[in-house]
Amino acid sequence: MPYRIHWFKKNLRFQDNEILLKKDNSSSILLYIIEPELWLQKDMSQRQWDFIWESVESLKTDLAKHNLHLNILSGDAAEIFQSLHQKYSFTEVISEQETGIHWTFERDKKLKSLFNNLNVNWIEYPYFGVKRGNHNRDHWAGSIQQIFKKPLINIEKYIDQSEILDFDEHEKPVNFYDKTPCPFRQKGGSHQAHDLLDTFLECRGENYQSEMSSPITAEHSCSRLSPHFAHGTLSLRQAFQLAEKKRFEIQSTNKVFAKSINAFLSRLYWRSHFIQKLEDEPSIELKSFIPLYDDIRDQDEEKLQSWIKGETGIPFIDACMIYLRNHGWINFRMRAMLASFAAYNLWLDWRYYAPPLAALFTDFEPGIHYSQIQMQSGTTGINTIRMYNPYKQSEEQDPDAHFIINNIPSYKNVPKNLLHYPETVTPFEQQLLPSTWKSPIVNVSQSSKKAKDTIYGIRKMIDHKTLAKSVFLKHGSRKSH
């Protein structure tokens, strides 16, 4: 009897999972591979692994309830598949299409070559709405709506038994490029994901649209599902359909909540839109959309370390970074502000600061991260230049400085005006500040002006306009036709 391998990658769930569909009477081998080398990459971290491992254990438990066994092996994926083929002569591998970092892209190219040599058919089910190969961006929005509204997969169509492999026990990775402690990290697993979705649609999400921007209110009002979407513990389609159902139920009785659900649904489309950019052009992890921006910025290690450790002397910037380091998550506007500060005020090359920032996100999604980093750095050529003023954001999003003080407790007796505008501290006031006080490492207004002059100077070039048009045709967002 032929064998088929069902390889779990970033789809760590039982519900609505195409790779579990039964096709014929082939014997099924369910597989998850721990790849130690992956965790040595600059944008990967122990916090991400811890979340993934909890999710793998949760998946294994869910599968066992349906008489299915998840085999967990560790090592180089190509070597593992080679060994499995020698022993089981499998003829097919099924997995979800992965749009990952450069390392996983190269690994998958290597595997494709191996499977071709072994006459193994590798079937990759597309991630929600993300198309591989030639496609028309003009019709993309319409096609993803159809995918999201497609009925969820009935588990009665799943395989009903699987093989237990006779292989050595797996080993967890012990070496990580980033091991920054994350005491308040979210927990992994599908049950955690469904609990979050339930509470978001039941009550937490009512003021999502108005409260998502402040780090104070966003912690409660945002769905907090991003790490679960990133690692596939919850189906994007399932979340979409449950949210649509909730919106239909309340649209005439609670318009505020209905608008918040609309905002949430738009961000589900947004996820796939940005992942599609990386799928279409994998090089955007390593090169600017517009090459004219590739060599204009610095690689200053001292500035990078001050920023990534929350020691820039801009209290709101530092509080946001400290919160991110401790939680593995922060809301979108604050992510954009942190990136903008690194790109414009510190004038750091986005390729230099993007990986260590990615490592701090439990919900790191390469397609979203690198597209957004380039947007916030002004290197896409087609997006509005957004330079977030950290002082303005501090006053608007944290007017009473509660967020700053919660994350930097030693600042609790510092006057609010100095927390919001540290550049105004006088020599006399400096003597009264706590010993932990840090003076700003950069002048915000001066650095912003210099960055703006440089970026807009490049945008005026004739070559830039030609290149920007090409970027829009390939990656630009358009409405359904």
Side-chain angles (χ1 to χ4, degrees), residues 457-469:
I458 294 174
R459 283 207 161 197
K460 291 177 182 178
M461 295 180 180
I462 296 176
D463 287 352
H464 186 281
K465 295 178 181 179
T466 303
L467 292 167
K469 183 177 180 180

Side-chain angles (χ1 to χ4, degrees), residues 425-481:
V425 172
T426 66
F428 175 73
E429 289 170 328
Q430 182 81 40
Q431 298 177 42
L432 303 177
L433 293 173
S435 60
T436 55
W437 178 264
K438 290 180 172 54
S439 298
I441 64 172
V442 67
N443 182 292
V444 170
S445 60
Q446 291 177 8
S447 56
S448 294
K449 183 182 184 305
K450 183 178 179 181
K452 190 176 294 184
D453 290 344
T454 302
I455 295 296
Y456 279 107
I458 294 174
R459 283 207 161 197
K460 291 177 182 178
M461 295 180 180
I462 296 176
D463 287 352
H464 186 281
K465 295 178 181 179
T466 303
L467 292 167
K469 183 177 180 180
S470 176
V471 170
F472 176 77
L473 290 174
K474 187 168 187 177
H475 298 289
S477 175
R478 18 253 214 238
K479 295 184 181 295
S480 176
H481 282 55

